[in-house]
Amino acid sequence: MTVICFVILLHNFGNDNNVVDNVKHFLSSSQVSMLLELGTEEVHKKMQEILQIYNPHTCLKEAALLDYYVSGFLWAKEVNLPSQKISSFMTILHMLLDNIKNKHMSLVDNIKELAIALKGTEKSISTSYELDDIFTVEEAVYIVDYFKYSLFQHYRLYEFLFHHSRKEMVFSNEENIEIFKIPHSLYPLPLEEGMSQDKCNLLQGVGEEKQLADEER
């Protein structure tokens, strides 16, 4: 049903032959060619550099962004889109996320933006992206299906990610353990079984006390 709606949208916007304003792609052709030669792990590292993401292992937002772009590129590679069309696809992928992040665009409006972008018309609100490669109907259906099950299915989560601040809660617990010095005890002193006698005496100050006692004598 969703695919049929998109085909109708594509048809309705197909009468305008103007293209989107001429600016750079999100990924240049040289960057796409370079990424196509890399394995999955290397793509992650290189995409992290391109996006200037530094803490994907500790920051939820950065991890989500990195996964969004890497997954999109690997999908485009898997379906064997030509290099130039991968560049246009990544530009659309970036545009749709930017519509959520900076333009606060609703899901319905963003779906319309995708339909317009796939036709490469200038009616799009997001006119700052270059899409000089028009996709075939078959390719457009594949792309629509991809965004349906990735970005659009989790649209509210992406909205929450960008427009709701997360409270940082730091949990810490400090404990102070006091070791009692017992000169003559029938039981082992703390830590004695876990380390050598010399090191245990050094930590407990037994050696220093013995040295002071010898000096007093």
Side-chain angles (χ1 to χ4, degrees), residues 89-202:
F89 168 76
M90 292 301 295
T91 301
I92 294 176
L93 182 137
H94 176 72
M95 178 194 73
L96 296 178
L97 193 67
D98 183 67
N99 288 342
I100 300 175
K101 180 180 179 182
N102 296 319
K103 298 181 176 66
H104 299 258
M105 195 172 289
S106 67
L107 173 59
V108 173
D109 289 336
N110 222 359
I111 290 175
K112 293 178 181 179
E113 287 293 294
L114 173 58
I116 297 169
L118 290 175
K119 290 299 296 182
T121 67
E122 68 174 2
K123 289 181 179 179
S124 171
I125 298 174
S126 307
T127 56
S128 58
Y129 300 98
E130 177 188 2
L131 299 170
D132 49 13
D133 278 314
I134 305 301
F135 296 95
T136 66
V137 174
E138 183 179 5
E139 290 169 343
V141 170
Y142 284 142
I143 291 172
V144 168
D145 202 45
Y146 173 79
F147 283 114
K148 173 185 175 183
Y149 291 106
S150 58
L151 178 65
F152 295 152
Q153 184 171 338
H154 306 290
Y155 204 84
R156 294 295 297 273
L157 292 177
Y158 282 100
E159 287 181 323
F160 185 86
L161 185 68
F162 289 118
H163 304 309
H164 293 78
S165 59
R166 299 173 64 244
K167 295 182 179 180
E168 295 185 2
M169 302 181 66
V170 180
F171 297 94
S172 63
N173 186 26
E174 295 183 2
E175 295 183 359
N176 294 321
I177 301 176
E178 183 177 356
I179 299 177
F180 295 96
K181 299 178 182 179
I182 306 175
H184 303 287
S185 174
L186 299 176
Y187 302 97
L189 293 175
L191 302 179
E192 185 169 341
E193 301 117 321
M195 60 182 66
S196 64
Q197 184 66 45
D198 295 338
K199 187 174 293 185
C200 181
N201 291 340
L202 178 63

Side-chain angles (χ1 to χ4, degrees), residues 63-80:
L65 289 176
L66 182 60
D67 179 74
Y68 175 77
Y69 285 96
V70 171
S71 297
F73 177 82
L74 294 178
W75 175 85
K77 178 181 178 181
E78 183 179 348
V79 297
N80 296 319

Side-chain angles (χ1 to χ4, degrees), residues 39-51:
T40 302
E41 292 185 5
E42 288 76 14
V43 170
H44 272 85
K45 294 179 181 178
K46 196 62 183 180
M47 193 68 73
Q48 188 174 336
E49 295 178 10
I50 294 172
L51 297 171

